[in-house]
Amino acid sequence: WNCADSASLTCQLTWTEFIGTSWGITTNRAQLSGNVGGNRARADSDLASDDHYCQATLAVFTFAGGFNSGGVLCRKGATGTDTCYFCNAVDDGAAPYFNMSKLVAGTETSLGTNAQDPVVNDVIRVEADGSSITSKVNGTTIIGPVTDTDITGNVRCGILGYVDTAGNVFALDAWSAADLAAGGATWPGWFHSRGGWTA
């Protein structure tokens, strides 16, 4: 998000907030803050395949109470239907952790958790490869692979977050998505022959 501060995520790519309207760009990062509840957004650019990954760097994770979480999502369609796989960092006032879940028409099912403590500069990644769904942090698998066949065919990726208390801040930087078969190379703001996007 190498753009001026804005109430919109649209920058190098066009984004749609399909749950909530509180994502914005702050200091070249996608950020949620305060008591805004759940928010999810997709980049409106198709990858070549539903075998792909989505990742971003955890830039701010400030907890002041209540619930604070966020992360990346994959296998999202081009509609407002709340269906995708995701990995997110979570702080609910107990021990922070990572979670991997699926959303199918708005119904969430956890696919696994890991007690690793999320910290700033962690690179959070979720990937779908056929029926194998995996979450990684800093290149190391922390959840999965989990076998799940509920979501196929969707070729968009995005971000999600939930903050519900004044003082909570969640921000992501260096977002990217690419087809797994492509080797993951990306160029900012452009679709290219190896099938990747960045923001």
Side-chain angles (χ1 to χ4, degrees):
W1 289 280
N2 187 22
C3 295
D5 289 2
S6 172
S8 169
L9 287 175
T10 294
C11 184
Q12 291 105 328
L13 299 173
T14 299
W15 289 76
T16 295
E17 295 181 76
F18 61 95
I19 300 290
T21 59
S22 297
W23 279 110
I25 300 172
T26 302
T27 319
N28 298 321
R29 302 176 300 218
Q31 181 167 300
L32 290 174
S33 61
N35 185 5
V36 298
N39 288 261
R40 294 189 269 283
R42 67 173 188 268
D44 287 325
S45 302
D46 291 346
L47 293 166
S49 166
D50 69 356
D51 295 331
H52 56 243
Y53 75 83
C54 181
Q55 70 179 34
T57 300
L58 181 57
V60 182
F61 194 40
T62 303
F63 181 74
F67 194 86
N68 190 11
S69 74
V72 291
L73 61 89
C74 72
R75 282 198 183 163
K76 175 71 186 81
T79 71
T81 302
D82 194 11
T83 296
C84 60
Y85 294 108
F86 69 86
C87 177
N88 60 332
V90 179
D91 194 340
D92 58 6
Y97 62 96
F98 285 98
N99 168 72
M100 183 172 77
S101 291
K102 64 181 175 182
L103 283 158
V104 178
T107 298
E108 181 177 343
T109 303
S110 178
L111 299 178
T113 61
N114 186 294
Q116 180 173 325
D117 190 359
V119 296
V120 168
N121 294 322
D122 277 346
V123 178
I124 305 170
R125 171 169 168 147
V126 63
E127 60 184 47
D129 188 3
S131 61
S132 293
I133 315 302
T134 304
S135 287
K136 298 180 179 181
V137 172
N138 303 324
T140 299
T141 296
I142 61 164
I143 306 170
V146 173
T147 299
D148 191 89
T149 58
D150 278 349
I151 306 172
T152 60
N154 293 345
V155 292
R156 296 190 179 182
C157 293
I159 58 176
L160 75 163
Y162 189 104
V163 296
D164 67 359
T165 300
N168 282 354
V169 183
F170 183 87
L172 294 169
D173 198 1
W175 180 91
S176 65
D179 296 290
L180 288 172
T186 54
W187 296 340
W190 293 90
F191 188 69
H192 58 92
S193 60
R194 293 209 248 177
W197 296 99
T198 65

